[in-house]
Amino acid sequence: MKKIAILGSTGSIGTQTLDVVRENGDIEVLGIAAGSNISLLEEQIREFRPRIAAVWTEEKAKELRVRIADTDTEVVEGMDGLIQVSTMQGAEILVTAIVGMIGIRPTIEAIKSGKHIALANKETLVTAGHLIMPLAKEHQVSILPVDSEHSAIFQSLQGNDRKAIHKILLTASGGPFRGRTQEQLMEVTVEDALKHPNWSMGQKITIDSSTMVNKGLEVIEAKWLFDVDVDQIQVVVQPQSIIHSMVEYVDGAVLAELGTPDMKLPIQYALYYPERRYLPGDRVDFWKLRHLDFEEPDMDTFYGLKLAYIAGRRGGSLPTVYNAANELAVSQFLKRQIKYLEITEIIEDCIRAHKVIEHPTLEQILETEAATYDRINSRR
Ligand code: NDP
Ligand code: MG
């Protein structure tokens, strides 16, 4: 039995990871962690019988302890709880399906305790890639991409020499507002932005997909995962989301991974790599599909993507500012405190104001996050 632990088990990636576990029947889930959804956590505890379950707040942890008093699962809480799940003895892989920079410390601790990381939590790599990648090398653990584009790139790299990469072609659906102008985006509501054409995902990443900040984060994520310059990464809009990304080699050959939009494929690939397993579900029918479309991204309207190239190229603490500003701005937009276009305006403002720290330590990353939050909060 393969043994894993999952951060963010109640979310979109977390629940699909548990679907993959259930369908395969040969993975043991030793630990799970969530924020506050203790009803779902209770169901998961009863089905998967993990040794530990972590909850973010003390009150929710207390409540969960009462609810599952008849089971053998221990309930832990807060950052210590997340770290306990991340480093638990016996787990070989940690699936990081938590949302946001809160994943940095648990991911670092998991690597130090020798766990392979099935990484969905891109915010961690965007902000701390310069710490995580060397640490993973030092501890000889793999960072296995769960993000569909990065999984596609990883699959397209199998059997090839990474030194022969000429370019990475990172595909994007373009989101629900593809083809619109800034003016047409002025009155976008939360409901409009939450309607993704192809993928069903958590709220934060769905908003990020609509602004194309998600693609920006993915450019920086790819830079770390595949050790390329951001300028070697070209974003290509592929509205059907069938081509999940491609690699162009020095000889001009382009290798791609195609499939229907279903996160279970990259999740399962990361969990069983290098093995491929049967996966039920829709398959691409090329007779019905008939054609695939491609476009250049509109980086003037969706300039959050352009800002990611600026942050990724400059490096240091600037990607942290990009990410942290986006995290807070998106949460304010979801609470209807700011307008849609302000999300990108806020990111730009924070990037302009920041004095870059080269090679920031973990503490400096967290300080940069706090300073970015202070700047945004002082606007209101
Ligand atoms: P969701 O919002 O659906 O889920 C987030 C998970 O994190 C939930 O389990 C949530 O718990 C948990 N969580 C939030 N805050 C805390 C906290 N303080 N302590 C512990 N757990 C916490 O997000 P997604 O699954 O969509 O995304 C997860 C990550 O994967 C993100 O980084 C995203 O960018 C990435 N990703 C997602 C894809 C997708 O298809 N969804 C595709 C590619 C990448 P609770 O339910 O209790 O709030
Ligand atoms: Mg993606």
Side-chain angles (χ1 to χ4, degrees), residues 230-265:
V230 291
D231 292 306
Q232 274 177 286
I233 304 167
Q234 182 182 3
V235 174
V236 178
V237 176
Q238 204 292 285
Q240 294 95 350
S241 297
I242 296 290
I243 302 184
H244 297 145
S245 278
M246 308 179 258
V247 178
E248 183 190 309
Y249 288 94
V250 284
D251 58 0
V254 177
L255 267 59
E257 184 254 336
L258 286 72
T260 51
D262 181 355
M263 286 308 296
K264 282 191 206 156
L265 193 160

mmCIF file of all heavy atoms in Angstrom, residues 230-265:
data_model
loop_
_atom_site.group_PDB
_atom_site.id
_atom_site.type_symbol
_atom_site.label_atom_id
_atom_site.label_comp_id
_atom_site.label_asym_id
_atom_site.label_seq_id
_atom_site.Cartn_x
_atom_site.Cartn_y
_atom_site.Cartn_z
ATOM 1 N N VAL A 230 11.738 32.623 -17.430
ATOM 2 C CA VAL A 230 10.332 32.934 -17.751
ATOM 3 C C VAL A 230 10.174 33.287 -19.232
ATOM 4 O O VAL A 230 9.135 33.042 -19.824
ATOM 5 C CB VAL A 230 9.706 34.042 -16.861
ATOM 6 C CG1 VAL A 230 9.528 33.566 -15.432
ATOM 7 C CG2 VAL A 230 10.476 35.323 -16.922
ATOM 8 N N ASP A 231 11.228 33.826 -19.830
ATOM 9 C CA ASP A 231 11.114 34.193 -21.244
ATOM 10 C C ASP A 231 11.179 32.987 -22.183
ATOM 11 O O ASP A 231 10.962 33.125 -23.381
ATOM 12 C CB ASP A 231 12.152 35.260 -21.596
ATOM 13 C CG ASP A 231 11.794 36.555 -20.878
ATOM 14 O OD1 ASP A 231 10.649 37.014 -21.026
ATOM 15 O OD2 ASP A 231 12.626 37.062 -20.101
ATOM 16 N N GLN A 232 11.459 31.814 -21.622
ATOM 17 C CA GLN A 232 11.364 30.586 -22.423
ATOM 18 C C GLN A 232 9.946 30.010 -22.348
ATOM 19 O O GLN A 232 9.683 28.953 -22.917
ATOM 20 C CB GLN A 232 12.322 29.523 -21.886
ATOM 21 C CG GLN A 232 13.735 29.608 -22.419
ATOM 22 C CD GLN A 232 14.586 28.544 -21.740
ATOM 23 O OE1 GLN A 232 14.936 28.678 -20.567
ATOM 24 N NE2 GLN A 232 14.894 27.481 -22.464
ATOM 25 N N ILE A 233 9.071 30.677 -21.608
ATOM 26 C CA ILE A 233 7.708 30.164 -21.445
ATOM 27 C C ILE A 233 6.759 31.053 -22.245
ATOM 28 O O ILE A 233 6.678 32.257 -22.010
ATOM 29 C CB ILE A 233 7.304 30.148 -19.954
ATOM 30 C CG1 ILE A 233 8.327 29.333 -19.142
ATOM 31 C CG2 ILE A 233 5.889 29.589 -19.782
ATOM 32 C CD1 ILE A 233 8.216 29.509 -17.644
ATOM 33 N N GLN A 234 6.071 30.438 -23.198
ATOM 34 C CA GLN A 234 5.135 31.191 -24.038
ATOM 35 C C GLN A 234 3.719 30.726 -23.722
ATOM 36 O O GLN A 234 3.420 29.527 -23.768
ATOM 37 C CB GLN A 234 5.458 30.929 -25.517
ATOM 38 C CG GLN A 234 4.568 31.717 -26.453
ATOM 39 C CD GLN A 234 4.854 31.408 -27.919
ATOM 40 O OE1 GLN A 234 5.682 30.566 -28.262
ATOM 41 N NE2 GLN A 234 4.145 32.087 -28.794
ATOM 42 N N VAL A 235 2.866 31.676 -23.378
ATOM 43 C CA VAL A 235 1.468 31.319 -23.090
ATOM 44 C C VAL A 235 0.683 31.290 -24.401
ATOM 45 O O VAL A 235 0.758 32.222 -25.203
ATOM 46 C CB VAL A 235 0.847 32.323 -22.094
ATOM 47 C CG1 VAL A 235 -0.648 32.050 -21.917
ATOM 48 C CG2 VAL A 235 1.559 32.247 -20.751
ATOM 49 N N VAL A 236 -0.026 30.194 -24.615
ATOM 50 C CA VAL A 236 -0.826 30.022 -25.826
ATOM 51 C C VAL A 236 -2.276 29.767 -25.394
ATOM 52 O O VAL A 236 -2.531 28.844 -24.618
ATOM 53 C CB VAL A 236 -0.332 28.795 -26.642
ATOM 54 C CG1 VAL A 236 -1.201 28.578 -27.871
ATOM 55 C CG2 VAL A 236 1.135 28.963 -27.030
ATOM 56 N N VAL A 237 -3.184 30.590 -25.867
ATOM 57 C CA VAL A 237 -4.595 30.359 -25.524
ATOM 58 C C VAL A 237 -5.111 29.203 -26.388
ATOM 59 O O VAL A 237 -4.937 29.187 -27.603
ATOM 60 C CB VAL A 237 -5.434 31.641 -25.726
ATOM 61 C CG1 VAL A 237 -6.917 31.361 -25.461
ATOM 62 C CG2 VAL A 237 -4.932 32.748 -24.797
ATOM 63 N N GLN A 238 -5.710 28.210 -25.705
ATOM 64 C CA GLN A 238 -6.240 27.014 -26.368
ATOM 65 C C GLN A 238 -7.627 26.828 -25.751
ATOM 66 O O GLN A 238 -7.770 26.138 -24.740
ATOM 67 C CB GLN A 238 -5.292 25.826 -26.083
ATOM 68 C CG GLN A 238 -5.331 24.696 -27.098
ATOM 69 C CD GLN A 238 -6.635 23.936 -27.075
ATOM 70 O OE1 GLN A 238 -6.907 23.144 -26.184
ATOM 71 N NE2 GLN A 238 -7.497 24.176 -28.064
ATOM 72 N N PRO A 239 -8.635 27.515 -26.323
ATOM 73 C CA PRO A 239 -9.921 27.663 -25.630
ATOM 74 C C PRO A 239 -10.620 26.356 -25.249
ATOM 75 O O PRO A 239 -11.372 26.332 -24.279
ATOM 76 C CB PRO A 239 -10.783 28.449 -26.634
ATOM 77 C CG PRO A 239 -9.824 29.081 -27.569
ATOM 78 C CD PRO A 239 -8.624 28.199 -27.630
ATOM 79 N N GLN A 240 -10.375 25.261 -25.957
ATOM 80 C CA GLN A 240 -11.073 24.014 -25.619
ATOM 81 C C GLN A 240 -10.456 23.282 -24.417
ATOM 82 O O GLN A 240 -11.022 22.289 -23.944
ATOM 83 C CB GLN A 240 -11.083 23.059 -26.823
ATOM 84 C CG GLN A 240 -11.886 23.548 -28.016
ATOM 85 C CD GLN A 240 -11.029 24.268 -29.068
ATOM 86 O OE1 GLN A 240 -9.854 24.577 -28.864
ATOM 87 N NE2 GLN A 240 -11.630 24.572 -30.210
ATOM 88 N N SER A 241 -9.287 23.735 -23.946
ATOM 89 C CA SER A 241 -8.575 23.052 -22.846
ATOM 90 C C SER A 241 -8.392 21.561 -23.115
ATOM 91 O O SER A 241 -8.585 20.722 -22.222
ATOM 92 C CB SER A 241 -9.282 23.246 -21.495
ATOM 93 O OG SER A 241 -9.306 24.585 -21.127
ATOM 94 N N ILE A 242 -8.013 21.224 -24.330
ATOM 95 C CA ILE A 242 -7.734 19.818 -24.679
ATOM 96 C C ILE A 242 -6.219 19.577 -24.653
ATOM 97 O O ILE A 242 -5.758 18.567 -24.133
ATOM 98 C CB ILE A 242 -8.306 19.477 -26.089
ATOM 99 C CG1 ILE A 242 -9.837 19.589 -26.090
ATOM 100 C CG2 ILE A 242 -7.841 18.091 -26.549
ATOM 101 C CD1 ILE A 242 -10.577 18.532 -25.309
ATOM 102 N N ILE A 243 -5.479 20.536 -25.205
ATOM 103 C CA ILE A 243 -4.011 20.455 -25.091
ATOM 104 C C ILE A 243 -3.653 21.082 -23.751
ATOM 105 O O ILE A 243 -3.907 22.261 -23.523
ATOM 106 C CB ILE A 243 -3.306 21.223 -26.228
ATOM 107 C CG1 ILE A 243 -3.742 20.668 -27.586
ATOM 108 C CG2 ILE A 243 -1.783 21.133 -26.063
ATOM 109 C CD1 ILE A 243 -3.021 21.298 -28.763
ATOM 110 N N HIS A 244 -3.073 20.297 -22.869
ATOM 111 C CA HIS A 244 -2.853 20.795 -21.510
ATOM 112 C C HIS A 244 -1.531 21.514 -21.337
ATOM 113 O O HIS A 244 -1.310 22.123 -20.286
ATOM 114 C CB HIS A 244 -3.026 19.662 -20.509
ATOM 115 C CG HIS A 244 -4.419 19.129 -20.528
ATOM 116 N ND1 HIS A 244 -4.737 17.819 -20.338
ATOM 117 C CD2 HIS A 244 -5.594 19.754 -20.784
ATOM 118 C CE1 HIS A 244 -6.049 17.660 -20.459
ATOM 119 N NE2 HIS A 244 -6.588 18.818 -20.729
ATOM 120 N N SER A 245 -0.682 21.447 -22.297
ATOM 121 C CA SER A 245 0.578 22.212 -22.454
ATOM 122 C C SER A 245 1.524 21.413 -23.335
ATOM 123 O O SER A 245 1.242 20.257 -23.642
ATOM 124 C CB SER A 245 1.262 22.568 -21.129
ATOM 125 O OG SER A 245 0.637 23.732 -20.599
ATOM 126 N N MET A 246 2.617 22.080 -23.749
ATOM 127 C CA MET A 246 3.524 21.446 -24.714
ATOM 128 C C MET A 246 4.962 21.854 -24.415
ATOM 129 O O MET A 246 5.210 22.865 -23.762
ATOM 130 C CB MET A 246 3.194 21.933 -26.140
ATOM 131 C CG MET A 246 1.738 21.786 -26.509
ATOM 132 S SD MET A 246 1.363 22.389 -28.168
ATOM 133 C CE MET A 246 0.611 23.977 -27.806
ATOM 134 N N VAL A 247 5.878 21.035 -24.922
ATOM 135 C CA VAL A 247 7.301 21.368 -24.838
ATOM 136 C C VAL A 247 7.856 21.415 -26.251
ATOM 137 O O VAL A 247 7.644 20.481 -27.026
ATOM 138 C CB VAL A 247 8.090 20.306 -24.026
ATOM 139 C CG1 VAL A 247 9.583 20.646 -24.003
ATOM 140 C CG2 VAL A 247 7.544 20.198 -22.611
ATOM 141 N N GLU A 248 8.537 22.508 -26.579
ATOM 142 C CA GLU A 248 9.235 22.576 -27.860
ATOM 143 C C GLU A 248 10.711 22.326 -27.585
ATOM 144 O O GLU A 248 11.308 22.975 -26.735
ATOM 145 C CB GLU A 248 9.047 23.958 -28.507
ATOM 146 C CG GLU A 248 9.690 24.051 -29.879
ATOM 147 C CD GLU A 248 9.720 25.490 -30.406
ATOM 148 O OE1 GLU A 248 8.679 26.165 -30.402
ATOM 149 O OE2 GLU A 248 10.824 25.921 -30.795
ATOM 150 N N TYR A 249 11.269 21.355 -28.305
ATOM 151 C CA TYR A 249 12.683 21.004 -28.132
ATOM 152 C C TYR A 249 13.565 21.785 -29.116
ATOM 153 O O TYR A 249 13.055 22.400 -30.058
ATOM 154 C CB TYR A 249 12.856 19.484 -28.291
ATOM 155 C CG TYR A 249 12.276 18.752 -27.093
ATOM 156 C CD1 TYR A 249 10.969 18.280 -27.107
ATOM 157 C CD2 TYR A 249 13.026 18.579 -25.939
ATOM 158 C CE1 TYR A 249 10.421 17.647 -25.997
ATOM 159 C CE2 TYR A 249 12.488 17.945 -24.823
ATOM 160 C CZ TYR A 249 11.191 17.482 -24.856
ATOM 161 O OH TYR A 249 10.657 16.872 -23.755
ATOM 162 N N VAL A 250 14.868 21.702 -28.881
ATOM 163 C CA VAL A 250 15.809 22.485 -29.697
ATOM 164 C C VAL A 250 15.754 22.134 -31.188
ATOM 165 O O VAL A 250 16.075 22.961 -32.035
ATOM 166 C CB VAL A 250 17.275 22.345 -29.191
ATOM 167 C CG1 VAL A 250 17.491 23.178 -27.945
ATOM 168 C CG2 VAL A 250 17.640 20.894 -28.952
ATOM 169 N N ASP A 251 15.337 20.908 -31.494
ATOM 170 C CA ASP A 251 15.260 20.517 -32.912
ATOM 171 C C ASP A 251 13.931 20.916 -33.542
ATOM 172 O O ASP A 251 13.662 20.596 -34.697
ATOM 173 C CB ASP A 251 15.495 19.006 -33.065
ATOM 174 C CG ASP A 251 14.501 18.180 -32.267
ATOM 175 O OD1 ASP A 251 13.623 18.785 -31.592
ATOM 176 O OD2 ASP A 251 14.583 16.943 -32.296
ATOM 177 N N GLY A 252 13.068 21.597 -32.772
ATOM 178 C CA GLY A 252 11.793 22.060 -33.320
ATOM 179 C C GLY A 252 10.638 21.106 -33.062
ATOM 180 O O GLY A 252 9.483 21.450 -33.322
ATOM 181 N N ALA A 253 10.921 19.908 -32.540
ATOM 182 C CA ALA A 253 9.831 18.958 -32.237
ATOM 183 C C ALA A 253 9.000 19.499 -31.076
ATOM 184 O O ALA A 253 9.544 20.046 -30.113
ATOM 185 C CB ALA A 253 10.419 17.606 -31.863
ATOM 186 N N VAL A 254 7.686 19.370 -31.200
ATOM 187 C CA VAL A 254 6.790 19.810 -30.123
ATOM 188 C C VAL A 254 6.056 18.586 -29.578
ATOM 189 O O VAL A 254 5.396 17.874 -30.329
ATOM 190 C CB VAL A 254 5.765 20.842 -30.648
ATOM 191 C CG1 VAL A 254 4.786 21.245 -29.540
ATOM 192 C CG2 VAL A 254 6.476 22.081 -31.196
ATOM 193 N N LEU A 255 6.193 18.329 -28.278
ATOM 194 C CA LEU A 255 5.481 17.217 -27.634
ATOM 195 C C LEU A 255 4.425 17.789 -26.707
ATOM 196 O O LEU A 255 4.682 18.765 -25.993
ATOM 197 C CB LEU A 255 6.466 16.348 -26.844
ATOM 198 C CG LEU A 255 7.051 15.131 -27.583
ATOM 199 C CD1 LEU A 255 7.790 15.550 -28.830
ATOM 200 C CD2 LEU A 255 7.985 14.354 -26.681
ATOM 201 N N ALA A 256 3.256 17.158 -26.724
ATOM 202 C CA ALA A 256 2.151 17.686 -25.922
ATOM 203 C C ALA A 256 1.439 16.557 -25.198
ATOM 204 O O ALA A 256 1.571 15.395 -25.569
ATOM 205 C CB ALA A 256 1.151 18.399 -26.838
ATOM 206 N N GLU A 257 0.664 16.908 -24.180
ATOM 207 C CA GLU A 257 -0.269 15.945 -23.580
ATOM 208 C C GLU A 257 -1.662 16.499 -23.811
ATOM 209 O O GLU A 257 -1.929 17.675 -23.559
ATOM 210 C CB GLU A 257 0.018 15.770 -22.092
ATOM 211 C CG GLU A 257 -0.850 14.706 -21.438
ATOM 212 C CD GLU A 257 -1.957 15.252 -20.559
ATOM 213 O OE1 GLU A 257 -1.844 16.387 -20.073
ATOM 214 O OE2 GLU A 257 -2.956 14.533 -20.363
ATOM 215 N N LEU A 258 -2.532 15.648 -24.314
ATOM 216 C CA LEU A 258 -3.914 16.045 -24.598
ATOM 217 C C LEU A 258 -4.859 15.169 -23.778
ATOM 218 O O LEU A 258 -4.525 14.032 -23.437
ATOM 219 C CB LEU A 258 -4.254 15.843 -26.083
ATOM 220 C CG LEU A 258 -3.691 16.823 -27.108
ATOM 221 C CD1 LEU A 258 -2.198 16.629 -27.305
ATOM 222 C CD2 LEU A 258 -4.411 16.670 -28.441
ATOM 223 N N GLY A 259 -6.024 15.700 -23.512
ATOM 224 C CA GLY A 259 -7.028 14.921 -22.796
ATOM 225 C C GLY A 259 -8.227 15.797 -22.524
ATOM 226 O O GLY A 259 -8.191 17.005 -22.771
ATOM 227 N N THR A 260 -9.299 15.180 -22.005
ATOM 228 C CA THR A 260 -10.450 16.000 -21.612
ATOM 229 C C THR A 260 -10.064 16.735 -20.326
ATOM 230 O O THR A 260 -9.176 16.280 -19.616
ATOM 231 C CB THR A 260 -11.690 15.117 -21.371
ATOM 232 O OG1 THR A 260 -11.313 14.073 -20.477
ATOM 233 C CG2 THR A 260 -12.204 14.518 -22.666
ATOM 234 N N PRO A 261 -10.700 17.875 -20.032
ATOM 235 C CA PRO A 261 -10.335 18.575 -18.789
ATOM 236 C C PRO A 261 -10.818 17.793 -17.561
ATOM 237 O O PRO A 261 -11.997 17.790 -17.258
ATOM 238 C CB PRO A 261 -11.065 19.930 -18.900
ATOM 239 C CG PRO A 261 -11.538 20.027 -20.322
ATOM 240 C CD PRO A 261 -11.683 18.628 -20.823
ATOM 241 N N ASP A 262 -9.921 17.075 -16.912
ATOM 242 C CA ASP A 262 -10.268 16.288 -15.729
ATOM 243 C C ASP A 262 -9.023 16.221 -14.836
ATOM 244 O O ASP A 262 -8.020 15.623 -15.215
ATOM 245 C CB ASP A 262 -10.687 14.865 -16.156
ATOM 246 C CG ASP A 262 -11.079 13.993 -14.972
ATOM 247 O OD1 ASP A 262 -10.935 14.443 -13.817
ATOM 248 O OD2 ASP A 262 -11.527 12.852 -15.197
ATOM 249 N N MET A 263 -9.100 16.850 -13.664
ATOM 250 C CA MET A 263 -7.929 16.919 -12.784
ATOM 251 C C MET A 263 -7.518 15.554 -12.226
ATOM 252 O O MET A 263 -6.415 15.412 -11.695
ATOM 253 C CB MET A 263 -8.198 17.884 -11.613
ATOM 254 C CG MET A 263 -8.179 19.343 -11.977
ATOM 255 S SD MET A 263 -6.680 19.856 -12.868
ATOM 256 C CE MET A 263 -5.388 19.570 -11.662
ATOM 257 N N LYS A 264 -8.395 14.556 -12.345
ATOM 258 C CA LYS A 264 -8.015 13.245 -11.788
ATOM 259 C C LYS A 264 -6.818 12.660 -12.532
ATOM 260 O O LYS A 264 -6.045 11.912 -11.958
ATOM 261 C CB LYS A 264 -9.196 12.287 -11.859
ATOM 262 C CG LYS A 264 -10.194 12.560 -10.756
ATOM 263 C CD LYS A 264 -11.197 11.449 -10.695
ATOM 264 C CE LYS A 264 -12.482 11.964 -10.109
ATOM 265 N NZ LYS A 264 -13.615 11.164 -10.504
ATOM 266 N N LEU A 265 -6.684 13.004 -13.812
ATOM 267 C CA LEU A 265 -5.535 12.459 -14.556
ATOM 268 C C LEU A 265 -4.211 12.964 -13.966
ATOM 269 O O LEU A 265 -3.374 12.160 -13.563
ATOM 270 C CB LEU A 265 -5.660 12.778 -16.053
ATOM 271 C CG LEU A 265 -4.708 12.017 -16.986
ATOM 272 C CD1 LEU A 265 -5.242 12.030 -18.412
ATOM 273 C CD2 LEU A 265 -3.291 12.537 -16.979
#
